[in-house]
Amino acid sequence: MTFWIVKIAATTLGETGGDAVSMSMSLGYLAATGIFAVIFLLAVAAQIAARRFHPFLYWTTIIATTTVGTTLADFADRSLGIGYSGGASLLFALLISSLAVWYHALGSVSVDTVSSPSAEMFYWVTIMFSQTLGTALGDWTADTAGLGYTGGAAVFGALLVLVAASYYWTRISRTALFWAAFILTRPLGAVVGDFLDKPVSAGGLALSRYSASAALLVFIVACIVFFPQEPASKRH
């Protein structure tokens, strides 16, 4: 349970942190994506090189995927002019392709098999695509579908409850449920992040992106420090 709470907080931080760099700092989506892509690649390289599980390194890499996912999705949706539905469709295709190539190459997409550099590379690339897709889905639900931030949060929260119920009361593949939950936490974090920092006139709380990001980071660090963390093979 702690893992998923931290995951939602990390995805929310990805939204507020990504927007802080691309919007509040006025760097734009492309430049911000370049900055976060470098951080993501460095974090993944460190994660793959590590010989054992390091909680802070793992969550740093997760946060890196959420920030690059935020700015990359915004770039695809807005700068490329393909819209939220177009961006979500493109990113869904990339995510499915990543999982298909991973399965074809190694025979499984279960996190239980993430024990080699090649499997871990597939793992992080797939996570990055899932985070980017989640951002596009969150924006599409809140804006294009007209549900707003609270409505979007309710939808994705309900879907996560459904996934949890399926985990406990059905025999649906645990691997499929893991990835479903992993993907759905991202749009939930996206709409919550937007709710925190968007203007009141747009349905948000108009909080500072910097202060919201700092508060979320403190919360994540506290969870890592005070609650046991486990490697990927034990998370589902």
Side-chain angles (χ1 to χ4, degrees), residues 23-201:
M23 297 180 189
S24 297
M25 294 183 182
S26 301
L27 294 181
Y29 301 127
L30 185 58
T33 298
I35 292 170
F36 289 127
V38 171
I39 296 172
F40 166 67
L41 291 173
L42 291 173
V44 169
Q47 181 72 25
I48 292 175
R51 296 185 177 182
R52 61 186 181 86
F53 177 68
H54 298 278
F56 280 101
L57 176 57
Y58 178 83
W59 285 110
T60 295
T61 312
I62 289 288
I63 292 170
T65 67
T66 68
T67 49
V68 73
T70 294
T71 55
L72 182 57
D74 287 343
F75 176 75
D77 296 341
R78 300 166 188 173
S79 298
L80 294 183
I82 60 178
Y84 295 132
S85 58
S89 299
L90 173 62
L91 292 164
F92 180 74
L94 290 172
L95 174 61
I96 295 301
S97 298
S98 177
L99 287 168
V101 172
W102 181 2
Y103 185 83
H104 178 74
L106 300 180
S108 175
V109 295
S110 170
V111 293
D112 289 334
T113 65
V114 181
S115 57
S116 66
S118 57
E120 191 151 10
M121 180 60 73
F122 279 120
Y123 175 75
W124 288 112
V125 169
T126 301
I127 284 178
M128 190 271 290
F129 283 140
S130 76
Q131 306 281 40
T132 310
L133 171 62
T135 300
L137 285 175
D139 289 342
W140 179 83
T141 302
D143 297 334
T144 305
L147 294 180
Y149 305 126
T150 54
V155 167
F156 293 115
L159 289 173
L160 281 169
V161 169
L162 182 60
V163 171
S166 299
Y167 177 87
Y168 287 109
W169 295 318
T170 75
R171 295 184 179 181
I172 296 175
S173 166
R174 295 309 188 243
T175 298
L177 291 174
F178 173 85
W179 285 113
F182 209 97
I183 293 168
L184 288 171
T185 53
R186 182 60 185 103
L188 176 59
V191 294
V192 171
D194 282 339
F195 175 69
L196 293 175
D197 64 30
K198 288 298 188 286
V200 174
S201 60

